[in-house]
Amino acid sequence: MTENQSRRSFLQNLGVGLGTTAAAFTVPSLVSIPESKSKYEGKKLGIALVGLGSYAKNQLAVGLEQTPNCYLAGIVTGTPSKAEEWMKKYNIPKKNVYNYQTFDQIADNKDIDIVYVVLPNSMHHEYVIRAAKAGKHVMCEKPMANTVKECQEMIKACKDAGVQLGVGYRMHFEPFTKEVIRMSREKVFGNVKFINSNFGFTIGDPTQWRLKKPMAGGGPLMDVGIYCVQGSRYITGKEPLAVTAQFGPITDPTRFKDVEESLSWQFDFPDAVTVNGFTSYKTNIEQLYITYEKGFVQLSPAYSYGPIKGRTSQGELNLPIVHHQANMLEAIAREFLETKMFPSHISGEEGLKDMKYLTAIYEAARTGKKIKLA
């Protein structure tokens, strides 16, 4: 996108993805699926998707077709042809369809309870705040924003408006992930000693927004490395104390003129727990490996749409394979309908913490210094 290209023309042409293995352990009570097979007959929350890129189209919209307590009520897009396609496919009334200029009129729409922002990272700040001012609860894709300051402003705007703010941390609701969290917290194999977490892939289109720093905020760390940062936090249940980091070599100067190609970091956690993290746009890699005093747990794949696979020092993990976005949205809607709150572990404050850690990783890599975090 050129410097003078308008936001409107960019949005109208946006078509790329947004966003983004002996004895078995089974803990059905921790699996985030409906406990009852009976048909849900309560209130359904109406959700409007802002941005209709591949994540919205292929994951969120598909997930919303499977959720009993929430549904796709509206859309926001700058592309008229997409609006027509979505209205027809999902039976969305024209009054629930907005573009980026009419978005604020969503305030008057009683069909829409939650606005889900699925735009490039640099646009999260604007549309979360606009949704809050419209009196709508807000879900936002990760990373929450491009800067700590933007995250803080988004949190304040939602608090001032009296609306809930959540971040799309889908892994919190995924059965394998939840089981590994349980095993870690309950010390099934003793205390956590070391975590190795990595997530990388070979990126495609060299002109896409993910490779433009003003829009993405950074490279693979912002896109998929955040899963590794999150993973270390939800496994330990604690916050890192310090970080060192290193940029990897640039092998494609044209493609990676604006963002890092790869990045490694090392977190120091309380209780002498060390975390090694790695992310890349040139390496296909994905695993979460945890060493304990008396065993290990490995998830690989660990963060993508799956199917997630896992094993421990005692054998394979056998748990249900679920649709991540359906599981997440159903759980969020269920809690909101019961408590009028989003789950605290996906809050804006959690998104802010991750943004602080991502910022510190970049600073550590840039300066070569250990950055204290607490």
Side-chain angles (χ1 to χ4, degrees):
M1 186 172 69
T2 60
E3 288 296 326
N4 60 358
Q5 182 179 5
S6 69
R7 177 190 294 114
R8 180 178 182 180
S9 62
F10 163 68
L11 287 167
Q12 288 176 335
N13 289 291
L14 183 65
V16 295
L18 297 170
T20 350
T21 36
F25 288 84
T26 56
V27 188
S29 63
L30 289 175
V31 178
S32 184
I33 56 177
E35 295 180 0
S36 173
K37 296 294 183 180
S38 60
K39 185 176 179 181
Y40 178 80
E41 296 181 349
K43 173 180 170 58
K44 290 189 175 184
L45 298 173
I47 296 179
L49 299 179
V50 185
L52 304 182
S54 65
Y55 188 71
K57 180 179 181 179
N58 300 321
Q59 303 301 330
L60 291 173
V62 173
L64 283 165
E65 290 186 292
Q66 303 177 33
T67 49
N69 51 15
C70 57
Y71 71 104
L72 179 58
I75 54 175
V76 181
T77 179
T79 307
S81 60
K82 283 188 179 182
E84 292 296 329
E85 175 191 346
W86 284 61
M87 281 193 290
K88 185 180 297 184
K89 183 174 183 178
Y90 296 105
N91 196 29
I92 301 170
K94 193 167 185 178
K95 70 181 182 67
N96 291 3
V97 177
Y98 302 87
N99 59 39
Y100 296 99
Q101 291 70 47
T102 64
F103 172 76
D104 303 304
Q105 296 173 18
I106 207 168
D108 303 318
N109 195 321
K110 294 183 179 180
D111 293 345
I112 296 169
D113 301 289
I114 299 170
V115 167
Y116 200 132
V117 178
V118 204
L119 293 166
N121 304 344
S122 62
M123 303 177 75
H124 292 180
H125 175 262
E126 176 184 349
Y127 282 89
V128 165
I129 291 176
R130 287 174 68 177
K133 289 181 177 179
K136 301 301 179 181
H137 303 288
V138 197
M139 282 294 298
C140 178
E141 257 314 298
K142 58 82 199 150
M144 186 173 159
N146 276 359
T147 69
V148 169
K149 183 174 182 290
E150 287 180 340
C151 292
Q152 292 169 332
E153 291 171 351
M154 293 157 71
I155 291 169
K156 183 179 186 301
C158 290
K159 286 184 176 178
D160 289 348
V163 299
Q164 293 292 296
L165 171 60
V167 183
Y169 289 131
R170 59 185 168 80
M171 303 313 299
H172 286 243
F173 307 93
E174 191 281 319
F176 285 83
T177 304
K178 295 183 74 171
E179 173 64 345
V180 175
I181 292 172
R182 182 197 71 82
M183 288 190 288
S184 299
R185 303 289 177 85
E186 295 182 7
K187 301 184 180 182
V188 171
F189 297 120
N191 293 314
V192 175
K193 302 300 291 182
F194 172 79
I195 299 172
N196 186 48
S197 185
N198 47 64
F199 194 3
F201 67 98
T202 302
I203 199 163
D205 180 8
T207 67
Q208 64 181 282
W209 67 266
R210 286 183 174 85
L211 294 171
K212 302 177 188 297
K213 189 173 182 179
M215 299 177 68
L221 180 64
M222 295 285 284
D223 187 9
V224 292
I226 187 173
Y227 286 97
C228 304
V229 172
Q230 263 277 305
S232 63
R233 294 179 58 222
Y234 57 61
I235 292 301
T236 62
K238 298 178 181 180
E239 304 299 335
L241 302 174
V243 64
T244 53
Q246 306 82 34
F247 289 118
I250 298 292
T251 65
D252 188 340
T254 301
R255 190 180 298 261
F256 298 105
K257 63 181 183 296
D258 214 16
V259 301
E260 77 275 7
E261 180 175 321
S262 64
L263 198 152
S264 302
W265 67 94
Q266 304 80 39
F267 276 138
D268 294 338
F269 269 82
D271 305 317
V273 175
T274 301
V275 175
N276 281 356
F278 173 76
T279 188
S280 172
Y281 272 160
K282 286 293 291 288
T283 304
N284 296 319
I285 189 170
E286 180 187 347
Q287 76 162 343
L288 172 63
Y289 187 92
I290 309 152
T291 299
Y292 304 86
E293 293 174 303
K294 303 174 184 178
F296 71 85
V297 173
Q298 178 185 36
L299 296 184
S300 182
Y303 305 115
S304 59
Y305 305 142
I308 303 299
K309 295 181 180 180
R311 65 190 182 96
T312 78
S313 45
Q314 293 187 5
E316 297 292 319
L317 284 170
N318 295 319
L319 291 166
I321 303 301
V322 302
H323 188 283
H324 294 189
Q325 290 75 15
N327 244 40
M328 174 184 72
L329 291 164
E330 181 179 347
I332 292 170
R334 185 190 308 125
E335 182 151 339
F336 181 82
L337 288 165
E338 292 175 355
T339 68
K340 303 302 180 186
M341 303 280 284
F342 286 172
S344 60
H345 52 86
I346 62 156
S347 67
E349 285 78 8
E350 285 299 302
L352 171 61
K353 288 178 183 178
D354 275 344
M355 193 67 246
K356 289 180 177 179
Y357 299 139
L358 297 179
T359 301
I361 290 171
Y362 279 127
E363 182 183 356
R366 186 177 63 253
T367 64
K369 298 179 179 179
K370 174 175 280 194
I371 305 299
K372 293 184 178 181
L373 302 170

